Amino acid sequence: MILNLTKVKKTTMTKDRYICLKNSLTIVIPTLNEEQYIGGLLKDISEQSSASDIQIIVADAKSSDETIKICKSWSQSEGGPLNITIVAGGSPSEGRNAGLKLVQTDYVVFIDADVRLSSKRQLFDVWYKLSTANLLVGAKLYCPSNIISKAAHQLFNIVNHITSKYRPFAVGAFFATHTKVIRELGSWDTSLIHGEDWVLSGLYSSKNFTFSKHPVIIDDRRLKKTGYFGMFKLLLMSCIMGKSYMQKDHGYWN
């Protein structure tokens, strides 16, 4: 099933961008031992437009480090600036689905814990794109680790920008959509070990897909684990063989 809606209800642009995000956007973050990263992401979110009104759901897979403690320190219930709810998670897909069940806003953004936002208007930009014409918004990737990582991710961005005109791909690290739409599509496929973002993105039409004007900053820890050739092979084989290949780890996590 490819979802193709040529007519999407448009929201009139309000002059006050702080009002725009109130009660309209929820962020879901799957976590597992993310103490090194989660604080940076929450800091970035706290600097966004109307940050205190954005619902944040952290779906944690029984972290054994300080992940939960850090999240609570940012929560309004502990005197922090953010509206954070913590629920039980699992795999990334299981965590995203657990968070999605609690979403009550029109739009939802799935963000990985090791992502950093590159602009204080990033979520507002995504909200505007979702409310005016698009069902799915992705982001280009920027990895500042080293020259090779920068070049590799820039090449990925170029290829993805070209191919997304025919087949959209919003990486799971930053995947923004309409809550109603993703529920209708069946949410995240928990049978897949990797590539779940590729499969879910493919259910949308390229006509209703776009990229955020601001890239997201990501860590290259997964790239370091698989190696550049290994990651290229993983992506290529996933495209060629489909779900049967994605249901096995191939060294991605383990």
Side-chain angles (χ1 to χ4, degrees), residues 8-228:
V8 181
K9 181 181 179 180
K10 295 187 177 182
T11 300
T12 302
M13 180 70 168
T14 173
K15 293 181 180 179
D16 188 346
R17 67 178 185 272
Y18 294 93
I19 296 176
C20 293
L21 297 182
K22 188 173 184 178
N23 301 323
S24 63
L25 190 73
T26 299
I27 298 171
V28 176
I29 309 171
T31 59
L32 173 60
N33 297 331
E34 301 288 357
E35 64 178 6
Q36 182 179 348
Y37 302 98
I38 189 66
L41 173 58
L42 295 178
K43 177 180 181 296
D44 290 347
I45 295 174
S46 72
E47 297 173 347
Q48 297 288 302
S49 303
S50 193
S52 62
D53 294 317
I54 299 174
Q55 174 71 42
I56 301 169
I57 302 174
V58 174
D60 187 71
K62 298 181 179 180
S63 292
S64 58
D65 63 0
E66 299 293 305
T67 298
I68 296 300
K69 182 178 180 180
I70 294 171
C71 290
K72 288 182 177 180
S73 72
W74 283 91
S75 174
Q76 293 173 353
S77 63
E78 300 291 333
L82 299 176
N83 182 8
I84 298 176
T85 300
I86 300 173
V87 300
S91 68
S93 289
E94 290 170 340
R96 291 167 184 149
N97 286 341
L100 179 60
K101 289 180 180 179
L102 302 180
V103 175
Q104 298 180 347
T105 55
D106 290 336
Y107 314 119
V108 56
V109 186
F110 300 92
I111 308 179
D112 284 354
D114 59 354
V115 164
R116 299 296 301 270
L117 305 181
S118 64
S119 169
K120 294 182 180 180
R121 290 178 58 87
Q122 194 139 15
L123 295 179
F124 172 74
D125 171 66
V126 167
W127 170 87
Y128 183 67
K129 289 180 181 299
L130 288 173
S131 65
T132 53
N134 302 283
L135 297 180
L136 178 63
V137 178
K140 295 182 179 180
L141 309 179
Y142 176 71
C143 183
S145 179
N146 55 62
I147 295 177
I148 298 178
S149 291
K150 287 180 182 179
H153 285 87
Q154 182 60 25
L155 177 60
F156 171 81
N157 290 333
I158 293 172
V159 173
N160 193 24
H161 180 76
I162 295 172
T163 57
S164 286
K165 296 182 183 298
Y166 309 96
R167 201 274 192 193
F169 180 28
V171 296
F174 193 92
F175 188 107
T177 185
H178 291 233
T179 305
K180 181 180 179 180
V181 169
I182 190 173
R183 285 173 175 160
E184 290 176 348
L185 292 176
S187 307
W188 298 85
D189 190 337
T190 57
S191 72
L192 305 180
I193 306 300
H194 55 84
E196 72 285 348
D197 48 0
W198 169 258
V199 171
L200 184 55
S201 295
L203 299 179
Y204 292 80
S205 168
S206 58
K207 295 180 180 179
N208 302 123
F209 171 72
T210 191
F211 292 100
S212 167
K213 64 191 297 185
H214 308 288
V216 294
I217 303 168
I218 65 170
D219 188 85
D220 63 349
R221 56 178 174 168
R222 199 61 56 200
L223 190 58
K224 289 177 181 177
K225 184 176 181 61
T226 61
Y228 293 98

